[in-house]
């Protein structure tokens, strides 16, 4: 967390400094007594849990809509087949000291140990695909005097030597003894109490890829010089071919940048060319010419303490496996470092950032990878390592997605309101990122109230609002939380996977210190927190936490945090903790096998002298003797309890009600995902929970994102015997036509019917034709006769094999449901930049968009309906998360694509998030085949931009 004037994390009390005994939780088995290793079957049973009594397979793993979707498969060291006397080390009890250990910092809290020549760990390629690229998270011993060593470890495929993989300990191993607790820049082994054991190194597989079904092994051969090798996890994948240079781009090599292909292995190549000035020159040219900056395959060095600055351009590489920008800072360093990239309103994508930093400090050469601000910026497909932070980002409408951050000295992704003096942070999105091994928070929403300047004055910032953190994976942060919410309002933290924090809370919602903003509202839904919590400052922190004091600062307001549908498994200490907070809601959460208590108000070091919370339908299981499922240690914290597992038979029967509290209007459209509330057996009946739409509804029942017009979610995984209820309000008694919006790969006869509250079949059997795919949509109709007023309709699934998006009710004989004539149609354009082609305006994906060449107005985009169609309305949209902007545009129509008439004269139209970033153009009905929008100005970006171009008949 790079925020000024904040006292040390958790600094209530440093406590008594303990010897470098680390964690007294290693178990000695069989012939491993001298080494303190848990080996063989016993190790495999306990390797991934903090308590040996819990089976390894019981802990959840990312998937089923939770966590990031990544292109690699993780092969854990402790899950491999050990050979030659190799052993497994596992954490089998919660830490009893505040210090670290290799097992505590490992993913799964366990690893394979290769301590002698001939020892190995082997896996089988179960990915179903070839493996051509390996990333190894390993620990190699430090040198006797500190500073690390470089070595190799041998890779075998099907028992045959393939190559030596370079590993090192130059960017790991710092020491906390001798009054250095919780620092990250002391490299003197004599001080004891080490931390930062793990680093990551990657390489392409030499020769043919490892085929599916083959074995691959890491073997300590005589040529491998380290005394021992600890193997935590290997990421295996088959990357795509390098991306080609995009059109309208300028390559950094054309400005004099020179690649260096010597492997870095923890240190820079002193003979490498400094490409920094050449890259900056190319950036300047790209800005002035409205072009993309291209980073081709290779490693390009930026030497010294000066970074790179860019504004309003796209910076693209050939892929995170191929294009690398490497920062080489002379160490020891005395010059404070800005980030390697300082970018404003830019799109960065598809490259790797690395650095030679050896600690989290100026002296260790540590600066951030990318500081970002501005509007509608994006970072997509960036892999960052060994920098102070990965992304330190403010502004409005920005996103970090599909990126990797591994072996980072401080925060992985920190979205805030201070980066590059941006002053605000709103409508930011962090999604589908993989973060592992950070020295501070893996992912944080960091709303700062003020920072204190050098002269004692204070600079204040706008509180953050509406930040979404969804479907990310945060693994093994050794110095921070997995996901942290610090202040602001309107945040959504959904479907993230957090595991194996070494010292701190896994998922926390609160306020950061005395200069942070209060947290005034947040929704925490569908997250999974595994083997988390920690003993920093001997505090025994919970796995999930709501309230102030989350960083040793018991101050400020935390209000209206709603936590629903979260799962906490194998916490090292308490499962869920509350400190001072008000109006919290903890509903439908599950705590399994907590190391200490299940849910605790005012756990140790997190006081709750006042506060309030409602706890309902939370289930706690596996509590160990001497602990409790629920504790309230505060007489003044009001906890309202109902329907929780520890309350025995007090669970009230669920009550059915309309989704959102108001019955759906008939005539009108009922979205399939808006089935009634009340739960299984009351509002719906399903055989299993298959869906991944937990970002919308915490139960996640059978919902998935839809590609149909209008977006949102559809009801999927249909199966005979399932049903869903919908409360509606019919304006008048009569007969209605129901248009079912459906998709099915194959035809389904007798697919469904609608029933009334008595069970009477209202529609008869409704058949669904083959549409060709689960997301290829069509409409089928039936009629129903309804009385006036409020009533409950039941959608009965008689036979499965189809998806449903909506049910549109119209008075029988009335007009049909209008449709977007442009959906899926062909498009044309005057130009586009990078991958932002015109086809994106009709693909029904709200987040994909067309962007013209920059600084080259006028620009146009058009849709081709295939034949002349009567229309009187055009709807234009931008991504909903973008900030406001005004585009000056005109609408034209044509029957032949060459001669166009004006339908709406040029005018300024504002796309405002308060109006869903939507502009509607109406005009007298006209029959045209081509509809064209011409943009002549844009206050938010020097180009034409649209994500949706819809044409409607009415």
């Amino acid at each position: 967390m790079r925020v000024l004037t904040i006292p040390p994390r958790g600094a209530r009390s440093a406590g008594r400094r303990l010897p470098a005994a680390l964690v007294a939780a290693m178990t000695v088995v069989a012939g491993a007594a001298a080494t303190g290793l848990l080996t063989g079957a016993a190790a495999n049973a306990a390797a991934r849990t903090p308590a040996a009594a819990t089976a390894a397979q019981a802990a959840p793993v990312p998937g089923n809509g939770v966590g990031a979707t990544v292109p690699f498969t993780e092969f854990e060291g402790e899950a491999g087949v050990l050979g030659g006397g190799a052993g497994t080390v596992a954490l089998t009890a919660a830490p009893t000291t505040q210090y670290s250990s290799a097992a505590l910092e490992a993913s799964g809290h366990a690893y394979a140990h290769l301590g002698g020549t001939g020892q190995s760990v082997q896996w089988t390629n179960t990915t179903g695909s070839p493996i051509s690229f390996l990333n190894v998270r390993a620990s190699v011993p430090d040198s006797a005097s500190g500073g690390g060593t470089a070595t190799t470890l041998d890779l075998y495929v099907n028992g045959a030597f393939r190559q030596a993989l370079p590993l090192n300990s130059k960017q790991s191993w710092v020491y906390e003894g001798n009054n250095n607790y919780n620092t990250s820049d002391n490299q003197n082994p004599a001080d004891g109490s080490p931390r930062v054991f793990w680093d990551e190194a990657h390489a392409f597989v030499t020769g043919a890829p490892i085929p599916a079904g083959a074995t691959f092994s890491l073997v300590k051969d005589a040529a491998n010089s380290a005394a021992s090798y600890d193997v935590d996890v290997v990421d295996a994948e088959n990357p795509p071919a390098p991306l080609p240079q995009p059109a309208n781009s300028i390559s950094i090599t054309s400005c004099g940048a020179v690649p260096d292909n010597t492997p870095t292995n923890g240190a820079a190549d002193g003979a490498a060319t400094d490409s920094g000035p050449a890259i900056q020159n190319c950036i300047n040219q790209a800005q002035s010419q409205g072009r993309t900056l291209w980073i081709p395959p290779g490693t390009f060095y930026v030497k010294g303490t000066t970074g790179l600055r860019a504004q309003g351009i796209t910076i693209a590489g050939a892929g995170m496996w191929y294009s690398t920008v490497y920062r080489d800072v002379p160490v020891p360093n005395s010059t404070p470092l800005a980030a390697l990239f300082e970018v404003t309103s830019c799109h960065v994508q598809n490259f790797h950032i690395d650095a030679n930093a050896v600690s989290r400090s100026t002296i260790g050469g540590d600066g951030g990878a990318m500081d970002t601000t501005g509007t509608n910026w994006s970072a997509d497909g960036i892999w960052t390592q060994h920098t102070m932070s990965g992304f330190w980002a403010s502004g409005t409408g920005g996103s970090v997605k599909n990126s990797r951050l591994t072996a980072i000295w401080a925060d992985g992704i920190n979205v805030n309101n201070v980066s590059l003096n941006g002053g605000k942070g709103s409508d930011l999105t962090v999604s589908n990122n993989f973060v592992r091994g950070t020295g501070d928070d893996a992912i944080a929403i960091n709303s700062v109230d003020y920072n204190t300047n050098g002269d004692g004055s204070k600079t204040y910032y706008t509180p953050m609002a509406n930040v979404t953190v969804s479907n990310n994976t945060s693994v093994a942060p050794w110095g921070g939380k997995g996901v942290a919410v610090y202040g602001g309002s309107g945040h959504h933290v959904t479907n993230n996977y957090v595991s194996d924090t070494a010292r701190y809370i896994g998922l926390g919602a609160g306020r950061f210190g005395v200069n942070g903003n209060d947290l005034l509202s947040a929704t925490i839904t569908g997250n999974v927190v595994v083997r988390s919590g920690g003993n920093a400052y001997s505090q025994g922190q919970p796995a999930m936490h709501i309230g102030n004091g989350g960083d040793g600062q018991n101050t400020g307001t935390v209000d209206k945090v709603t936590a629903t549908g979260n799962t906490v498994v194998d916490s090292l200490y308490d499962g869920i903790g509350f400190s001072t907070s008000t109006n919290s809601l903890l509903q439908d959460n599950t705590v399994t096998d907590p190391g200490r208590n299940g849910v605790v108000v005012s756990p140790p070091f997190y006081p709750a002298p006042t506060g309030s919370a409602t706890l309902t339908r939370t289930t706690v299981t596996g509590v160990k003797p001497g602990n409790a499922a629920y504790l309230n240690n505060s007489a003044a914290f009001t906890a309202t309890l109902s329907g929780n597992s520890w309350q025995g038979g007090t669970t009230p029967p669920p009550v059915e009600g309309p989704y959102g509290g108001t019955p759906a209007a008939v005539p009108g459209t009922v979205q399939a995902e808006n089935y009634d509330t009340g739960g299984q057996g009351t509002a719906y009946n399903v055989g299993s929970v298959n869906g991944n739409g937990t970002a919308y509804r915490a139960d996640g029942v059978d919902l998935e994102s839809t590609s149909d017009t209008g977006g949102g979610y559809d009801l999927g995984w249909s199966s005979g015997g399932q049903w869903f209820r919908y409360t509606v309000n019919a304006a008048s008694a009569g007969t209605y036509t129901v248009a079912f919006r459906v998709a099915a790969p194959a035809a389904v006869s007798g697919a469904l019917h609608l029933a009334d509250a008595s069970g009477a079949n209202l529609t008869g059997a409704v058949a669904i034709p083959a549409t060709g795919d689960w997301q290829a949509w069509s409409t089928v109709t039936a009629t129903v006769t309804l009385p006036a007023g409020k009533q409950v309709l039941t959608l009965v699934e008689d036979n499965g094999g189809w998806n449903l998006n909506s049910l549109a009710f119209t008075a029988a004989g009335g007009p049909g449901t209008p449709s977007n004539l442009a959906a899926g149609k062909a498009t044309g354009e005057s130009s586009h930049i990078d991958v932002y082609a015109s086809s994106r305006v009709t693909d029904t994906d709200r987040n994909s968009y067309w962007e013209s060449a920059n600084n080259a107005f006028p620009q146009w985009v058009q849709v081709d309906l295939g034949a002349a169609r009567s229309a009187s309305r055009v709807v234009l949209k931008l991504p909903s998360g973008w900030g406001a902007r005004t585009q000056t545009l005109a609408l034209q129509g044509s029957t032949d694509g060459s001669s166009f008439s004006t339908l709406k004269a040029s005018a300024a139209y504002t796309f405002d998030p308060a109006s869903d970033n939507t502009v509607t153009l109406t005009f007298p009905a006209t029959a045209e085949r081509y509809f064209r929008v011409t943009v002549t100005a844009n206050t938010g970006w020097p180009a034409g931009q649209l994500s949706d171009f819809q044409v409607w008949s009415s």
Side-chain angles (χ1 to χ4, degrees):
M1 182 70 60
R2 289 161 46 197
V3 179
L4 302 178
T5 74
I6 295 176
R9 180 184 297 277
R12 286 181 51 84
S13 170
R16 180 172 62 89
R17 184 166 62 86
L18 301 176
L22 309 180
V23 178
M26 306 296 179
T27 304
V28 182
V29 184
T35 60
L37 303 180
L38 180 63
T39 61
N44 289 334
R48 300 189 61 86
T49 67
T54 303
Q57 59 269 28
V61 296
N64 296 322
V66 175
T69 300
V70 296
F72 57 86
T73 299
E74 296 180 85
F75 291 86
E76 290 284 347
E78 66 272 20
V81 177
L82 304 175
T88 301
V89 180
L91 187 73
T92 57
T96 57
T97 87
Q98 62 182 343
Y99 292 96
S100 233
S101 72
L104 189 62
E105 293 184 5
S107 68
H109 287 328
Y111 59 90
H113 176 78
L114 313 183
T117 300
Q119 294 186 4
S120 64
V121 56
Q122 175 181 289
W123 305 270
T124 299
N125 177 6
T126 55
T127 67
S129 302
I131 296 171
S132 60
F133 185 92
L134 297 175
N135 179 68
V136 180
R137 189 174 198 242
S139 179
V140 176
D142 196 4
S143 63
S145 58
T149 62
T151 184
T152 59
L153 184 61
D154 287 346
L155 170 68
Y156 284 71
V157 177
N158 282 334
F161 173 79
R162 179 63 67 88
Q163 71 196 85
L165 301 175
L167 300 176
N168 72 87
S169 54
K170 295 182 178 181
Q171 294 177 285
S172 52
W173 294 93
V174 297
Y175 300 88
E176 298 185 279
N178 196 20
N179 297 313
N180 287 290
Y181 185 70
N182 209 25
T183 61
S184 301
D185 53 10
N186 176 31
Q187 295 183 297
N188 181 13
D191 287 332
S193 299
R195 71 189 301 208
V196 195
F197 297 89
W198 303 97
D199 196 7
E200 306 200 12
H202 53 260
F204 279 94
V205 175
T206 300
I210 302 169
T215 62
F216 61 102
S217 312
L218 296 179
V219 180
K220 176 177 165 41
D221 285 330
N224 306 134
S225 59
S228 63
Y229 297 83
D230 294 331
V231 178
D232 181 22
V233 62
V234 175
D235 304 330
E237 60 187 310
N238 189 33
L243 294 170
Q245 181 174 348
N248 194 36
S249 65
I250 180 170
S251 172
I252 62 174
T253 57
S254 70
C255 297
V258 178
D260 180 274
N261 295 319
T262 303
T264 55
N265 200 22
D269 177 10
T273 299
D274 179 11
S275 293
I279 297 174
Q280 186 63 60
N281 181 25
C282 255
I283 289 173
N284 298 340
Q285 292 184 41
Q287 290 176 169
S288 65
Q289 299 170 20
R291 301 170 70 184
T292 293
L293 182 77
W294 167 243
I295 304 172
T299 299
F300 297 88
Y301 277 73
V302 175
K303 295 191 173 186
T305 58
T306 301
L308 305 168
R309 311 292 175 262
Q311 183 168 356
I313 62 171
T314 295
I315 303 174
M320 63 174 67
W321 310 270
Y322 306 104
S323 301
T324 297
V325 180
Y326 188 95
R327 186 173 209 173
D328 177 11
V329 176
V331 175
N333 171 54
S334 59
T335 303
L337 297 170
L340 172 60
F341 285 91
E342 288 189 350
V343 292
T344 301
S345 300
C346 287
H347 303 292
V348 295
Q349 56 201 40
N350 301 321
F351 61 93
H352 177 232
I353 298 173
D354 204 348
N356 70 322
V358 295
S359 72
R360 178 184 175 171
S361 64
T362 298
I363 195 172
D366 198 17
M370 189 170 294
D371 285 3
T372 300
T373 194
T375 59
N376 305 320
W377 52 265
S378 67
D380 188 349
I382 303 295
W383 187 355
T384 303
Q385 297 182 282
H386 304 122
T387 60
M388 183 177 186
S389 57
F391 297 99
W392 185 259
S394 66
T396 59
S399 66
V400 181
K401 58 186 177 180
N402 307 322
S403 293
R404 300 186 202 179
L405 301 103
T406 57
I408 302 292
W409 283 105
D411 292 52
I413 303 171
N414 186 305
V415 289
N416 54 65
N417 54 351
V418 297
S419 178
L420 296 182
N421 298 313
K424 58 184 177 180
S426 62
D427 301 302
L428 305 174
T429 302
V430 178
S431 62
N432 203 56
N433 301 287
F434 179 88
V435 188
R436 182 173 57 208
T438 58
D440 212 314
D441 298 328
I443 299 173
I445 302 170
N446 172 24
S447 188
V448 180
D449 182 18
Y450 67 86
N451 276 328
T452 302
N453 305 313
D455 61 2
S457 63
K458 294 179 178 178
T459 299
Y460 287 85
Y461 307 93
T462 302
M464 297 180 70
N466 304 323
V467 176
T468 298
V469 175
S470 63
N471 291 99
N472 302 282
T473 295
S474 297
V475 179
W478 50 263
K481 297 181 178 68
V483 174
V485 182
Y486 300 120
S489 62
H491 307 317
H492 291 266
V493 177
T494 61
N495 299 333
N496 300 285
Y497 181 88
V498 175
S499 72
D500 307 305
T501 57
R503 291 196 168 176
Y504 294 98
I505 293 161
L507 193 161
R511 169 179 151 161
F512 193 93
V514 295
N515 68 329
N517 285 125
D518 292 334
L519 178 61
L520 301 182
S521 64
T523 301
I524 314 293
T525 302
N527 303 282
V528 174
V529 182
V530 180
R531 295 181 299 269
S532 294
N535 205 32
Y537 295 96
S538 300
Q539 291 178 343
Q541 300 183 15
M544 180 173 164
H545 174 259
I546 298 172
N548 68 21
D551 290 83
Q553 311 296 330
N554 301 311
T555 185
T557 297
V558 176
D559 189 39
K560 296 183 179 65
V561 174
T562 296
T564 61
N566 301 288
T567 302
V568 179
V569 180
D570 292 333
S571 59
L572 294 185
Y573 302 97
D574 298 319
I576 301 175
F578 286 91
S579 59
T580 300
S581 51
T582 51
N583 301 306
S584 301
L585 173 63
L586 190 73
Q587 180 174 294
D588 297 317
N589 298 278
T590 301
V591 178
T592 303
D593 296 325
R596 198 160 60 191
N597 303 296
V599 179
V600 184
V601 176
S602 191
F605 299 100
Y606 292 86
T610 62
S612 62
T614 299
L615 285 67
T616 180
R617 299 197 302 271
T618 289
T619 301
V620 178
T621 59
V623 177
K624 299 172 180 60
N627 297 299
Y630 170 75
L631 287 175
N632 186 344
N633 296 322
S634 171
F637 188 103
T638 302
T640 303
L641 310 179
S642 66
N644 301 292
S645 64
W646 60 85
Q647 295 179 275
T650 63
T651 304
V655 177
E656 182 181 2
Y659 184 80
T662 303
V666 172
T669 299
V670 179
Q671 297 296 328
E673 65 266 36
N674 291 345
Y675 50 85
D676 284 357
T677 57
Q680 169 72 16
T682 299
Y684 58 82
N685 177 63
V686 296
S688 61
V689 177
N690 305 298
N692 52 32
T694 52
Y696 187 71
R697 297 190 67 158
D699 52 36
V701 171
D702 296 337
L703 300 184
E704 63 180 351
S705 296
T706 183
S707 66
D708 197 13
T709 302
Y713 296 84
D714 63 67
L715 193 64
W717 291 276
S718 54
S719 178
Q722 296 190 153
W723 49 261
F724 293 81
R725 288 183 173 144
Y726 300 85
T727 299
V728 302
N729 189 7
S732 60
T735 300
Y736 293 85
T737 298
V738 187
F740 298 90
R741 192 69 174 157
V742 295
V748 183
S749 59
L752 61 90
H753 72 271
L754 281 182
D756 64 13
S758 69
N761 189 329
L762 300 177
T763 59
V766 177
I768 295 177
T771 66
D773 188 79
W774 295 108
Q775 291 296 319
W777 294 92
S778 184
T779 301
V780 296
T781 61
T783 58
V784 295
T785 300
L786 301 177
K790 180 180 175 180
Q791 54 204 286
V792 175
L793 303 179
T794 302
L795 174 79
V796 180
E797 299 180 356
D798 298 304
N799 291 292
W802 46 273
N803 292 345
L804 175 68
N805 190 26
S806 62
L807 307 84
F809 292 78
T810 57
T817 303
S819 61
N820 172 20
L821 305 176
K825 298 298 185 181
T827 62
E829 62 187 19
S830 56
S831 68
H832 73 270
I833 193 167
D834 199 26
V835 298
Y836 305 106
S838 62
S839 58
R840 295 181 168 217
V841 302
T842 61
D843 64 0
T844 70
D845 181 354
R846 181 69 180 274
N847 293 315
S848 72
Y849 59 94
W850 163 74
E851 182 173 308
S852 73
N854 292 177
N855 300 301
F857 290 121
Q859 296 287 336
W860 57 264
V861 61
Q862 70 183 28
V863 295
D864 176 3
L865 303 184
R869 301 287 299 275
S870 178
S872 61
R873 179 166 56 104
V874 162
V875 177
L876 307 175
K877 296 185 178 185
L878 291 177
S880 57
W882 284 19
R885 72 208 48 224
T886 298
Q887 297 192 69
T888 302
L889 55 87
L891 176 67
Q892 297 172 301
S894 173
T895 58
D896 59 9
S898 59
S899 177
F900 283 83
S901 59
T902 298
L903 304 180
K904 294 289 284 189
S906 180
Y909 295 91
T910 298
F911 294 80
D912 190 334
S915 302
D916 194 34
N917 274 336
T918 298
V919 167
T920 299
L921 308 177
T922 58
F923 46 91
T926 180
E928 309 285 356
R929 172 174 173 174
Y930 300 89
F931 288 82
R932 175 181 291 185
V933 168
T934 300
V935 183
T936 54
N938 184 346
T939 62
W941 197 263
Q945 295 173 311
L946 288 177
S947 65
D948 278 358
F949 188 152
Q950 302 177 3
V951 180
W952 297 82
S953 59
S954 60

